[in-house]
Amino acid sequence: QEELAQLKDEKAALQVQSKLLQNFITLARSSAESPLLAAVLEDTVSVATKLCGAETGSLFLLDAQGLVSDSILTRRGATERQRSTIIGSVLDRGLAGWVRQHRRIGLIQDTRNDDRWVDLPDQPYSIRSALSVPICRGERMLGILTLLHSQPAHFSEDAAERMELTAAQMAVALDNARLYAKLNRYARALNAELEKGKKIQRDFLPSDIPDIPGWEIGTCFHPARQVSGDFYDVFQLPNGSLVTVIGDVCDKGVGSALFMALVRSLIRVFSGKMHLSGMSLSMADTGNSEALDQEIRIALNAVTLTNSYIAREHDDLNMFTTLFVGVLNPETGKLAYVNGGHEPILIIGPDGVRNRLGPTGTFVGAIEDTSF
């Protein structure tokens, strides 16, 4: 008979575990706005109440210091001030406080004859019996569950033992919900930061495309993630030349997006779009520069100086980019370009691909003395 009773208790514990797990998965998959942790607390109280035939119940969730971090009170709709008073009174000299101190189940058969019961002011219901259970995970107490009934001696010793068995299953559900809620907060914060990064990255891309007579320029950008290392640029120089840039930084994500911003800025500086105080454009080894067309010098300077700067100043990042820089003379249609390890750029005519502008050097930013 004892074995049968034990089997029944174990079955009840497994049913509680199964119910809480199913509800947890349903809540986690739900797109509801209500916080998951609060829903799991409510669910835990509801399951325990049904298991013991209680009329109502409360649940205090405790942090690592043993302080209440969240709660479900029997008095629903209480104001913050009332909640603070209730929690303080119960944990100071009530049954839940006794359970927290002794770390074992507290059973009150009649609240009128037990000093551990505290009658709260303006209590809207009558309580005669109570059962309070510590919910522990290893050495840590995660919470205190208290079940209540209006009749004396409602909760038996068997009910107390049953709740002790199921408390471990409740601890798993509460711990999972707490961790999931923390991860959710981190995920939302990270997502918000990534959205900011996405906007910043898009702001780095040209918003105003040059309008040059006889030429039409179109752009398209679809990052693999919220932020990425892919980028393009198009801008006109004071001499009328049009610079087009396509790049792809190694890896994905925030680091690549930041590196992309650096490369894009350097290309603009070293092509002559912008100027930095004390920065010389004579660093590029272009051979006999007088014999080179202006567009060629611009393309070589932009890529060679960017490569040297990154390899020298940021070699510890172990980052690099493939990079195409083309300098177009709108009047003659001549395009001078440097392809630093990027995919071939396609020249397309009415009959399809006319030419492929393949690499004229290796990727940019890894080796300082690279020739393009």
Side-chain angles (χ1 to χ4, degrees):
Q1 201 168 16
E2 288 182 4
E3 290 181 358
L4 183 61
Q6 185 177 356
L7 286 173
K8 287 182 178 180
D9 289 342
E10 291 176 354
K11 180 181 178 182
L14 288 173
Q15 287 175 336
V16 167
Q17 182 185 39
S18 176
K19 179 68 174 175
L20 290 174
L21 179 60
Q22 289 176 9
N23 291 353
F24 174 76
I25 293 174
T26 301
L27 290 167
R29 288 176 175 173
S30 172
S31 59
E33 293 291 328
S34 57
L36 175 71
L37 184 57
V40 172
L41 292 177
E42 286 277 10
D43 191 44
T44 303
V45 173
S46 175
V47 170
T49 299
K50 292 178 181 177
L51 183 65
C52 289
E55 292 177 338
T56 187
S58 66
L59 177 59
F60 297 149
L61 195 64
L62 306 178
D63 61 18
Q65 286 71 45
L67 303 176
V68 176
S69 60
D70 211 332
S71 63
I72 298 295
L73 301 182
T74 53
R75 190 182 302 185
R76 303 296 197 266
T79 65
E80 283 301 317
R81 185 173 182 179
Q82 289 174 329
R83 290 176 65 87
S84 179
T85 301
I86 292 170
I87 293 172
S89 299
V90 170
L91 289 181
D92 181 33
R93 59 187 189 280
L95 180 59
W98 184 90
V99 169
R100 182 175 65 169
Q101 180 182 354
H102 293 84
R103 299 178 68 87
R104 59 191 179 92
I105 286 180
L107 176 60
I108 294 180
Q109 298 287 9
D110 194 338
T111 57
R112 295 179 181 177
N113 304 321
D114 199 306
D115 294 336
R116 294 174 297 177
W117 183 255
V118 176
D119 281 315
L120 300 172
D122 303 321
Q123 190 161 285
Y125 42 76
S126 173
I127 300 299
R128 292 294 300 276
S129 57
L131 174 62
S132 192
V133 185
I135 300 177
C136 300
R137 189 85 186 268
E139 294 298 317
R140 183 183 169 189
M141 185 181 295
L142 299 180
I144 302 171
L145 172 69
T146 302
L147 303 174
L148 307 171
H149 201 277
S150 59
Q151 297 299 319
H154 175 78
F155 302 107
S156 64
E157 293 290 345
D158 289 342
E161 291 178 6
R162 192 180 309 121
M163 285 307 304
E164 190 172 21
L165 281 173
T166 57
Q169 318 306 327
M170 294 177 182
V172 173
L174 290 177
D175 203 27
N176 287 341
R178 183 176 55 84
L179 292 173
Y180 190 91
K182 184 181 292 186
L183 287 174
N184 245 356
R185 288 195 298 272
Y186 289 156
R188 286 196 299 270
L190 179 59
N191 192 61
E193 291 301 313
L194 287 174
E195 284 299 319
K196 292 179 186 176
K198 181 178 180 180
K199 182 181 185 304
I200 291 172
Q201 182 176 32
R202 286 196 175 276
D203 288 343
F204 267 105
L205 301 177
S207 56
D208 296 323
I209 303 299
D211 184 12
I212 301 175
W215 295 88
E216 183 179 350
I217 304 168
T219 62
C220 182
F221 181 72
H222 294 288
R225 301 178 185 172
Q226 285 168 298
V227 292
S228 71
D230 305 307
F231 67 99
Y232 69 88
D233 202 0
V234 53
F235 53 90
Q236 196 166 15
L237 297 177
N239 66 1
S241 297
L242 182 73
V243 180
T244 58
V245 184
I246 302 174
D248 185 2
V249 176
C250 64
D251 205 2
K252 304 290 183 186
V254 176
S256 297
L258 293 174
F259 195 77
M260 169 279 268
L262 171 64
V263 174
R264 182 257 192 187
S265 298
L266 290 174
I267 291 294
R268 286 199 165 212
V269 169
F270 293 138
S271 66
K273 172 68 174 176
M274 300 158 54
H275 296 283
L276 292 181
S277 177
M279 195 67 84
S280 171
L281 295 184
S282 62
M283 296 167 59
D285 182 13
T286 60
N288 185 5
S289 59
E290 292 183 359
L292 297 175
D293 290 344
Q294 186 179 33
E295 289 80 14
I296 297 176
R297 288 201 304 271
I298 292 171
L300 281 173
N301 268 326
V303 177
T304 303
L305 293 173
T306 296
N307 175 79
S308 297
Y309 180 87
I310 293 173
R312 183 176 64 253
E313 302 293 336
H314 300 289
D315 61 315
D316 57 322
L317 296 178
N318 295 317
M319 299 285 284
F320 62 88
T321 181
T322 61
L323 186 66
F324 175 90
V325 176
V327 182
L328 174 71
N329 184 325
E331 295 182 1
T332 65
K334 178 187 286 187
L335 175 73
Y337 73 91
V338 175
N339 186 336
H342 199 71
E343 292 291 325
I345 302 302
L346 305 181
I347 306 297
I348 301 174
D351 298 326
V353 177
R354 291 173 47 195
N355 198 1
R356 297 174 183 267
L357 308 183
T360 63
T362 186
F363 45 79
V364 175
I367 305 171
E368 185 176 352
D369 297 325
T370 300
S371 295
F372 298 94

